[in-house]
């Protein structure tokens, strides 16, 4: 125990990403503690040349580093022995995940920190979220870069205090653009690779979720220390009660879908070893359930308990769960009537924990047709059955005390009143049971000869017969009234459904797929399909559910939409009232199909309008842009033919002819490419290629000072058409050089898990975000007034890129300008 008391405390400043300011925060805390009188030193700090961070070291005592020689080079590391010998109260140690130079006292800096803590010295350290061992693979998938220096999660998780140093992605990128993190020559490459908004957002989420788990552990410790039994719903935890039956997998998958709706949710499966209708649970099913829980990202637990419901609730309470999922009962109706179900008992015991009851195929009554479905609630039916037994017996005992042989009319009226009361409470079946029991009791006790089931007087036969008839009539009336109320509720629901459907059709927000899905949900059908008659037979326009019908004769219910369309339902037969509602759905379906035809007609008209606009633009281009180089060539040729020019003028005219020829060739190539793209005649040949072979050819026509190519040798192969890719990049580079107006254009390659992005970065005026989609349309030049262009370059570039299964987009260049992002699939992806 004494050793634990002397052990130094560990405070970790956890950074959500590089550059968020964790070292600055650590040093700021050191300055605060020094001002408060604490003996604090700096054991190791890495400022990375950042002025503000270096200024925070001023005034703090820094322990000199230790020199370590390795392979003829001298490195410096933290002098652990000097720190221990100095024996300060607190020491600041930067970069916890650092790997020491071979020849140091320990392999990892985390081990240095452990030695210092064993000496009774408190340590304040820093680490970034990407250096945690458990997140290494996730970070690589997000950023495309694997972290070579990692630290075990337990080192950070068991720290006495963890401070998250966080910053929004936009703010961090602004810090980067202002040069507060890396040197100026590294800013562009960093902003377009590791420090992309998506990467920073994902790293931030990882940090928050990992720290939330640590906070959750601290919350559990606090609840245990203060003996708090009630759940605190700080985090979504779903507990699944697994019996080992065939329904276990259904419950687990349902719970997993619920857990996926809330980020950071936990899934826990619990199996109670007790007798609950399963005397010998199938061990193989238990093993499969345990394996399924693991694949769903949850944990499996087994507990022992005599009362299954209490054991499940106790486990959920101890786990601080927010929801318990339990399946419907598999017991018989009689047992459920007298003993209830496990789900009901769990709901009574759960308190503030939500209980979710899931139906399954193993449940009693699931998938089995019922001979009679009472519209009354289960509670009223149970009460009715109880009264059906108790009222006749109590009434018989009371009347038997009178022992009046002429009281049969009174007996009939009283038993009839009891039957009416049971009918009002429990409905038809309990009332019939009451009438039957009353008939037998009156026959045995009050109808001469008593003590046997015979009737000597015809009047008594009539009285008992009328009694049974009236009892049956009253029970039937009550049952029908209940059904009418149920039908009214159903009618309101169906009217609301049709009203919602009509509104969505009128606004054009619904589709045939949505209608068949609503049909399946509204009528509880196994499958619904919308069929269309064509020359080759029936085809499925839309379907919902398992194994939908592909022909009208394959379904159980059908309704015609029009002469060529029919809705087919597979499942239980519909009632007459449901058929009327189904006809309403058919009318709405006809409106949807008509809306679809009108929309397709409008799209064809719009396509023709665009084609006409394209033709007009082409004619305008031919009449102006193509005429300009032709006129230049004609003038130059006339001058050369005249023979009166000196050699210098002849050379200038020849150069003008060459420039005009190249311009004319480029314009014609773009027109031909656009025509091939729009007609679907472009068929690229995709092969595995190296960007080191393609990109130099794309920038070869520009002086070295205008374009800088930065492609690493380790860049993986891409799946592309080399010729088309070269044309796209050359087109983008040409536009960038023209827009940069003397500024250097940079061509970079950024590796992602499934693609490689070729970035063409310029420092020109840029393009407003509202105009970026428009600039990829044909014959759009925006503010470009340079002569000799048709505005086809970017349209052709995007078309060629999409033909190669890539994407082309535009982003802002930090500090001003435009970055064209060409995404190409990696080889083998």
């Amino acid at each position: 125990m004494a050793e634990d008391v002397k052990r130094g405390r560990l405070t970790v400043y956890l950074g959500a990403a590089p550059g968020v300011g964790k070292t600055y925060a650590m040093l700021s805390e050191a300055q605060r503690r020094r001002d408060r009188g604490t003996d604090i030193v700096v054991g190791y700090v890495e400022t990375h040349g950042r002025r503000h961070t270096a200024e925070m070291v001023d005034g703090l005592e820094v322990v000199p580093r230790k020199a370590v020689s390795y392979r003829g080079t001298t490195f410096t590391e933290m002098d652990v022995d000097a720190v221990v010998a100095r024996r300060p109260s607190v020491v600041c140690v930067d970069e916890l995940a650092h790997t020491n130079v071979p020849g140091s006292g320990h392999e990892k800096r985390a081990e240095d920190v452990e030695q210092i803590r064993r000496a009774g010295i408190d340590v304040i350290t820093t680490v970034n979220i990407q250096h945690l061992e458990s997140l290494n693979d996730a970070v690589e998938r997000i950023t495309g870069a694997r972290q070579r220096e990692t630290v075990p999660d337990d080192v950070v998780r068991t720290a006495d205090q963890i401070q998250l140093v966080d910053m929004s992605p936009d703010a961090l990128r602004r810090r980067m653009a202002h040069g507060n993190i890396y040197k100026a020559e590294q800013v562009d490459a960093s902003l377009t690779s590791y420090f992309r908004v998506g990467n920073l957002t994902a790293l931030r989420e990882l940090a928050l979720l990992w720290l939330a788990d640590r906070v959750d552990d601290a919350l559990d410790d606090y609840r245990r220390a203060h003996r708090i039994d009630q759940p605190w719903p700080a985090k979504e935890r779903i507990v699944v009660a697994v019996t080992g039956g065939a329904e276990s997998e259904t419950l687990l998958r349902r719970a997993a879908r619920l857990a996926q709706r809330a980020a950071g949710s936990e899934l826990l499966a619990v199996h109670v070893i007790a007798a609950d209708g399963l005397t010998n649970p199938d061990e193989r099913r238990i093993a499969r359930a345990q394996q399924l829980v693991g694949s769903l990202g949850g944990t499996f637990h087994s507990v022992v308990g005599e009362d299954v419901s209490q054991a499940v609730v106790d486990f959920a309470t101890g786990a601080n769960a927010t929801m318990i999922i339990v399946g419907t009962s598999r017991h018989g109706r009689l047992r459920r009537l007298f003993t209830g179900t496990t789900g009901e008992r769990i709901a009574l015991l759960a308190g503030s924990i939500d209980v979710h009851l899931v139906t399954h195929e193993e449940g009693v009554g699931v998938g089995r047709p019922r001979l009679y479905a009472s519209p009354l609630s289960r509670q009223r039916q149970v009460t009715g059955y109880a009264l059906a037994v108790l009222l006749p017996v109590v009434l018989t005992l009371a009347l038997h005390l009178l022992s009046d042989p002429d009281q049969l009319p009174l007996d009939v009226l009283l038993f009839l009143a009891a039957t009416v009361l049971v009918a009002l409470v429990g409905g038809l079946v309990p009332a019939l049971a009451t009438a039957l029991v009353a008939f037998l009791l009156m026959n045995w006790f009050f109808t001469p000869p008593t003590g046997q089931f015979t009737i000597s007087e015809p009047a008594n036969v009539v009285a008992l017969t009328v009694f049974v008839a009236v009892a049956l009539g009253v029970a039937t009336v009550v049952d029908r009234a209940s059904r009418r109320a149920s039908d009214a509720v159903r009618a309101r629901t169906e009217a609301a459904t049709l009203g919602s459907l009509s509104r969505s059709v009128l606004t054009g927000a619904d589709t045939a797929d949505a209608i068949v899905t609503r049909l399946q949900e509204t009528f509880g059908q196994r499958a619904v399909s919308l069929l269309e008659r064509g020359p080759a037979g029936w085809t499925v326009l839309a379907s919902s559910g398992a194994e939908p019908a592909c022909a009208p004769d394959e379904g159980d219910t059908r309704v015609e939409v029009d002469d060529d369309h029919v809705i087919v339902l597979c499942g239980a037969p519909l009632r007459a009232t449901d058929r009327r509602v189904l006809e309403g759905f058919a009318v709405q379906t006809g409106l949807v199909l008509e809306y679809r035809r009108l929309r397709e007609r409008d799209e064809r008209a719009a396509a023709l309008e665009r084609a006409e606009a394209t033709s007009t633009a082409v004619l305008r281009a031919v009449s102006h842009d193509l005429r300009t180089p032709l006129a230049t060539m004609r003038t130059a040729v006339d001058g050369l033919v005249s023979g009166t020019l000196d050699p210098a003028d002849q050379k200038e005219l020849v150069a003008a002819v060459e420039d005009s020829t190249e311009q004319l060739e480029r314009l014609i190539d773009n027109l031909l490419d656009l025509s091939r793209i729009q007609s679907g005649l472009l068929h690229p040949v995709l092969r595995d290629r190296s960007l080191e072979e393609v990109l130099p050819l794309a920038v070869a026509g520009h002086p070295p000072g205008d374009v800088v190519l930065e492609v690493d040798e380790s860049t993986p192969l891409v799946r592309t058409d080399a010729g088309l890719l070269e044309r796209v990049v050359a087109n983008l580079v040409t536009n960038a050089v023209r827009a940069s107006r003397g500024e250097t254009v940079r061509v970079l390659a950024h590796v992602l898990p499934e693609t490689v992005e070729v970035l063409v970065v310029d420092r020109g005026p840029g393009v407003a975000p509202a105009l970026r989609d428009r600039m990829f349309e044909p014959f759009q030049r925006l503010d470009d007034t340079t002569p000799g262009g048709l505005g086809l370059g970017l349209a052709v570039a995007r078309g060629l890129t999409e033909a190669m299964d890539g994407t082309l987009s535009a982003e802002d260049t930090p500090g001003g300008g435009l970055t064209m992002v060409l995404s190409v699939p990696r080889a083998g992806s």
Side-chain angles (χ1 to χ4, degrees), residues 494-790:
E494 291 170 345
T497 301
L498 287 176
S500 174
L501 181 63
S502 300
R503 286 192 299 271
S504 60
V505 169
L506 292 175
T507 57
D510 220 331
T511 63
D513 290 313
I515 287 182
V516 296
T517 300
R518 291 193 184 189
L519 275 171
Q520 184 193 9
E521 295 172 351
T522 302
F523 298 108
Q525 296 292 297
R526 187 182 72 254
V528 178
S529 54
L530 174 62
L531 306 180
E532 181 180 41
R533 192 202 315 267
W538 293 97
T539 57
V540 179
L541 283 183
S543 64
S544 176
E547 300 179 358
C550 298
D553 296 336
E554 296 178 4
D556 301 304
T557 307
R558 56 176 291 181
V559 59
E560 292 185 357
V561 178
D562 53 35
D563 294 339
D564 296 323
H565 298 88
V566 61
I567 297 175
V568 182
L569 286 73
C570 300
L574 301 182
R575 298 182 302 175
T577 55
D578 291 337
R579 291 280 307 187
R580 290 194 296 271
V581 177
L582 183 60
E583 295 287 346
F585 268 92
V587 173
Q588 303 298 337
T589 304
L591 294 176
V592 168
L593 295 175
E594 181 64 23
Y595 175 79
R596 175 188 288 184
R597 285 192 289 267
L598 292 175
R599 184 172 56 192
E600 291 175 351
R601 184 182 305 170
D602 289 342
E603 290 175 353
R604 289 194 296 269
L608 292 175
E609 185 178 353
R610 288 194 299 270
E612 183 178 357
T614 301
S615 301
T616 302
V618 170
L619 291 175
R620 185 169 59 249
V622 170
S623 64
H624 180 269
D625 295 286
L626 294 181
R627 181 181 299 175
T628 300
L630 288 175
T632 302
M633 295 170 62
R634 177 64 180 269
T635 302
V637 169
D638 290 342
L640 292 172
V641 170
S642 65
T644 60
L645 302 176
D646 56 33
D649 292 336
Q650 292 180 0
K651 185 176 181 180
E652 184 176 352
L653 291 177
V654 170
V657 171
E658 292 178 350
D659 292 341
S660 298
T661 303
E662 292 178 358
Q663 179 182 345
L664 185 60
E665 183 180 5
R666 185 166 58 252
L667 295 176
I668 293 175
D669 285 343
N670 284 337
L671 285 171
L672 292 176
D673 285 340
L674 182 63
S675 176
R676 291 165 60 197
I677 292 171
Q678 293 182 339
S679 62
L681 298 178
L682 184 64
H683 303 290
V685 179
L686 303 180
R687 293 191 176 91
D688 294 347
R689 299 290 186 180
S690 171
L691 291 179
E692 291 186 281
E693 301 175 358
V694 179
L695 296 185
L697 299 176
V699 302
H702 300 277
D706 291 347
V707 182
V708 175
L709 180 61
E710 302 177 15
V711 180
D712 193 83
E713 296 180 356
S714 61
T715 303
L717 300 178
V718 295
R719 187 75 174 172
T720 187
D721 185 308
L724 295 182
L725 180 62
E726 178 187 342
R727 289 200 58 187
V728 171
V729 176
N731 200 324
L732 298 178
V733 171
T734 300
N735 287 344
V737 171
R738 184 168 62 248
S740 293
R741 300 172 183 174
E743 294 285 341
T744 301
V745 173
R746 305 177 65 214
V747 180
L748 314 172
H750 174 48
V751 181
L752 295 178
E754 297 183 357
T755 60
V756 176
E757 292 182 343
V758 178
L759 309 177
V760 180
V761 183
D762 68 54
R763 291 291 182 179
V767 176
L771 300 176
R772 287 177 188 169
D773 290 336
R774 180 183 165 193
M775 74 180 186
F776 288 103
E777 297 177 0
F779 307 105
Q780 297 293 333
R781 301 188 64 186
L782 302 184
D783 296 330
D784 185 8
T785 58
T786 306
L790 294 178

Side-chain angles (χ1 to χ4, degrees), residues 36 45 65 93 137 151 203 231 297 308 393 494 519 680 698 723 737 769 801:
R36 200 174 56 190
V45 67
R65 300 184 185 183
V93 180
D137 293 338
V151 61
L203 290 175
V308 175
V393 173
E494 291 170 345
L519 275 171
V737 171
T801 302

Side-chain angles (χ1 to χ4, degrees), residues 150-171:
T150 60
V151 61
D153 287 45
D154 286 343
V155 175
V156 182
R157 188 179 292 274
T158 57
D160 298 279
Q161 185 177 0
I162 302 177
Q163 295 284 349
L164 178 65
V165 184
D166 186 23
M167 183 178 292
S168 69
D170 291 336

Side-chain angles (χ1 to χ4, degrees), residues 12-239:
V12 177
Y13 281 85
L14 179 65
V20 295
K22 61 185 182 304
T23 302
Y24 187 93
M26 177 187 71
L27 294 174
S28 178
E29 173 65 12
Q31 293 280 4
R32 188 183 67 82
R33 294 198 184 192
R34 185 206 61 179
D35 295 340
R36 200 174 56 190
T38 303
D39 184 13
I40 186 169
V41 301
V42 175
Y44 185 92
V45 67
E46 185 62 65
T47 64
H48 297 287
R50 299 165 189 167
R51 178 172 57 85
H52 299 296
T53 304
E55 290 175 353
M56 292 301 296
V57 183
D58 296 341
L60 295 174
E61 178 182 347
V62 180
V63 177
R65 300 184 185 183
K66 177 177 63 175
V68 180
S69 297
Y70 178 67
R71 293 184 178 180
T73 304
T74 301
F75 301 90
T76 59
E77 295 286 359
M78 180 174 62
D79 194 337
V80 180
D81 295 334
V83 172
V84 174
R86 168 65 176 75
R87 296 197 63 81
S89 298
V90 185
V91 60
C92 295
V93 180
D94 203 8
E95 297 184 353
L96 180 63
H98 173 70
T99 301
N100 293 328
V101 176
S104 303
H106 300 105
E107 179 183 357
K108 304 288 291 186
R109 182 161 294 159
E111 297 174 295
D112 296 340
V113 169
E114 181 64 21
Q115 179 181 343
I116 295 173
R117 293 181 65 195
R118 284 199 300 266
I121 302 173
D122 294 345
V123 178
I124 304 177
T125 187
T126 65
V127 68
N128 278 330
I129 191 68
Q130 69 266 23
H131 293 296
L132 295 180
E133 182 65 41
S134 65
L135 302 179
N136 193 255
D137 293 338
V139 171
E140 182 181 10
R141 287 193 299 270
I142 293 170
T143 64
R146 187 167 188 83
Q147 302 296 325
R148 295 181 175 85
E149 293 185 328
T150 60
V151 61
D153 287 45
D154 286 343
V155 175
V156 182
R157 188 179 292 274
T158 57
D160 298 279
Q161 185 177 0
I162 302 177
Q163 295 284 349
L164 178 65
V165 184
D166 186 23
M167 183 178 292
S168 69
D170 291 336
L172 184 57
R173 285 170 58 86
R174 283 196 298 270
R175 288 193 63 190
M176 172 71 73
H178 294 158
N180 294 330
I181 300 178
Y182 292 155
K183 297 179 180 179
E185 57 270 17
Q186 297 176 296
V187 170
D188 288 340
S190 299
L191 287 173
T192 54
S193 56
Y194 194 94
F195 283 80
R196 297 169 68 89
V197 174
N199 292 357
L200 297 177
T201 303
L203 290 175
R204 191 184 191 193
E205 183 178 10
L206 283 178
L208 292 173
L209 291 177
W210 188 92
L211 189 59
D213 288 338
R214 174 66 178 83
V215 173
D216 201 57
D217 293 341
L219 178 62
D220 290 340
D221 294 340
Y222 179 86
R223 291 177 63 243
R224 283 192 294 268
H226 292 77
R227 298 180 180 179
I228 299 174
D229 297 330
Q230 292 299 321
W232 286 4
K235 179 180 181 180
E236 192 74 23
R237 276 191 187 84
I238 300 177
V239 172

